[in-house]
Amino acid sequence: MSLLLRTAFALFAGLIMTRAFKYTVGRKGIMFPDVTAFLIAGVLVGPYALGQLGLGFRTPSELAGVGILSNIALGFIAFDIGSEFRASSLKEMGKSALFIGIFQALAATVLVDIALILLSMKLGPEILPLPAAITLGAIASATAPAATLMVVRQFKAKGPVTDLLLPIVALDDAAGLIIFAVSIGISQAMIGGAINLISVIINPVIEILCSVLLGSLMGYILTALEKLFFSNSNRLSMTIAFVMMTISLSSHEIYIGQFRIAFSSLLVCMTLGTVFCNMCEYSADIMHRSERWSAPLYAVFFVLSGARLELSVMRDFSVMLIGLVYILVRCAGKYFGASLSSTVMNCSENVKKYLGITLFPQAGVALGMVVSAQALGAEIGALIRNIILFSVLVYELVGPIMTRMALTAAGEIEQKQPEHVNRARFQKS
């Protein structure tokens, strides 16, 4: 089976799984997000299930072969989230989003650091080294923008919680980058090196500034070029080309001595979307058209994410124990951090009660941090990778469901009758 055929089969399996969900649990009035169905379909077509029979992806290397689709999808997800930063809405909630976004990220990091350091003292450094505990605390700050955006779109969520959620998820990338860079610098110093202010502070700041500058420049150029076209279809094609171009440019990095000039593709694409939606008069219509074009791309992204989940990590009891502590404490940090900071900013009761729950999902950004954590050495890097893979398995399957439930409880998702009930009513009429 060719790689293209395997990808097509993965998309088909994901779509069939959404129908299976609707015709089983959906008949009981339980609405699961499509992202959960896509992830489960991905597990089925991955190396641990149908891949063994040659019907899906047999090895991780085959999944790596279609990794470009995941990178493109993440770029468009970041671009879509960036388009939510319109000047009109930022005037109303900009300060609240900034404060809550940074505070809840720090709260999750601090609580996970404390919990895992205590666990390290209990289990011993040979099972959970202190540098691994500190690095895991930094990774806890990250939230998954893809799963959150997918749930918001599918259920057309609208309201104060949703309005704050998307900017806060976007801010997690910038805050998480700084927290992670500082933490991994401290961890490297603990292993045997000396604390290097350039790698701990200056390089992360350079990465964020360069990402914002590149995204702003690309957004300005895109806005200027859009005026050359009179068809919104051609404008959409130009937008798609620019997002792909931006993803490619942000993958480069340059070293000048100890200084590293690099970019965060997520932050660059978010900035591109922000500049574009605030400068281009055609942006509203183009973004509406982009949602239709990108829907199958997002579906493939989540199916491939499910296929990449390493079920083998569940064989290691110590990994599952550390992972369980990581999951529970991170959720507590996100929830209470969001609740406390929203109270300080005088947000509504629904925001205080439900915003933190919507920040539970974790995937892409965290996995990117895992790759950087390999600099701590093979053994520590492998431990961090296995713990995060286990947590991602739980977060990605349960997180979207909890996000939907929280937004529903906040009154920002309309309760709909199951599909078979609506069809029956239509037939009677």
Side-chain angles (χ1 to χ4, degrees), residues 114-340:
I114 293 172
L116 293 186
I117 288 172
L118 292 175
L119 189 62
S120 173
M121 295 169 62
K122 181 70 175 178
L123 298 177
E126 66 280 357
I127 296 178
L128 179 58
L130 207 54
I134 293 173
T135 304
L136 285 166
I139 297 175
S141 64
T143 303
T148 303
L149 180 64
M150 189 89 172
V151 173
V152 169
R153 277 192 176 180
Q154 180 188 350
F155 295 100
K156 297 179 174 61
K158 291 182 180 179
V161 178
T162 304
D163 291 341
L164 273 173
L165 171 60
L166 294 178
I168 287 172
V169 169
L171 285 166
D172 261 356
D173 184 46
L177 276 173
I178 297 175
I179 294 170
F180 178 77
V182 172
S183 296
I184 200 169
I186 294 172
S187 298
Q188 286 176 321
M190 293 177 66
I191 291 173
I195 293 180
N196 188 334
L197 292 180
I198 294 178
S199 62
V200 172
I201 297 176
I202 297 177
N203 282 341
V205 172
I206 291 175
E207 181 172 339
I208 292 171
L209 290 177
C210 288
S211 298
V212 172
L213 287 174
L214 177 60
S216 300
L217 177 62
M218 297 297 286
Y220 177 80
I221 296 173
L222 173 60
T223 301
L225 291 176
E226 296 283 22
K227 297 177 182 178
L228 300 177
F229 300 93
F230 301 97
S231 164
N232 278 341
S233 296
N234 287 336
R235 289 173 182 147
L236 174 60
S237 298
M238 176 62 71
T239 303
I240 293 170
F242 253 73
V243 174
M244 292 183 177
M245 193 185 309
T246 302
I247 295 168
S248 176
L249 290 173
S250 61
S251 65
H252 295 83
E253 60 180 40
I254 302 171
Y255 280 90
I256 303 176
Q258 289 184 300
F259 296 96
R260 183 172 67 99
I261 300 175
F263 308 91
S264 163
S265 60
L266 281 175
L267 191 55
V268 173
C269 290
M270 285 177 192
T271 308
L272 170 66
T274 300
V275 173
F276 175 67
C277 77
N278 282 287
M279 292 187 64
C280 183
E281 58 184 303
Y282 320 110
S283 62
D285 183 74
I286 292 173
M287 294 307 299
H288 179 69
R289 291 170 179 262
S290 176
E291 288 181 12
R292 299 177 181 178
W293 178 87
S294 57
L297 184 63
Y298 291 176
V300 171
F301 169 78
F302 283 108
V303 175
L304 293 178
S305 296
R308 288 191 178 94
L309 294 177
E310 290 278 356
L311 302 184
S312 60
V313 301
M314 299 182 71
R315 300 171 186 168
D316 192 328
F317 175 76
S318 62
V319 167
M320 291 185 65
L321 174 62
I322 299 168
L324 186 61
V325 172
Y326 172 87
I327 290 168
L328 294 176
V329 177
R330 176 182 174 273
C331 287
K334 289 287 181 181
Y335 181 81
F336 290 109
S339 179
L340 180 59

Side-chain angles (χ1 to χ4, degrees), residues 29-47:
I30 302 173
M31 295 293 292
F32 277 100
D34 284 348
V35 60
T36 304
F38 291 143
L39 288 165
I40 293 175
V43 173
L44 293 177
V45 301

Side-chain angles (χ1 to χ4, degrees), residues 20-36:
F21 270 44
K22 283 184 172 65
Y23 281 106
T24 52
V25 294
R27 287 183 174 272
K28 300 178 181 180
I30 302 173
M31 295 293 292
F32 277 100
D34 284 348
V35 60
T36 304

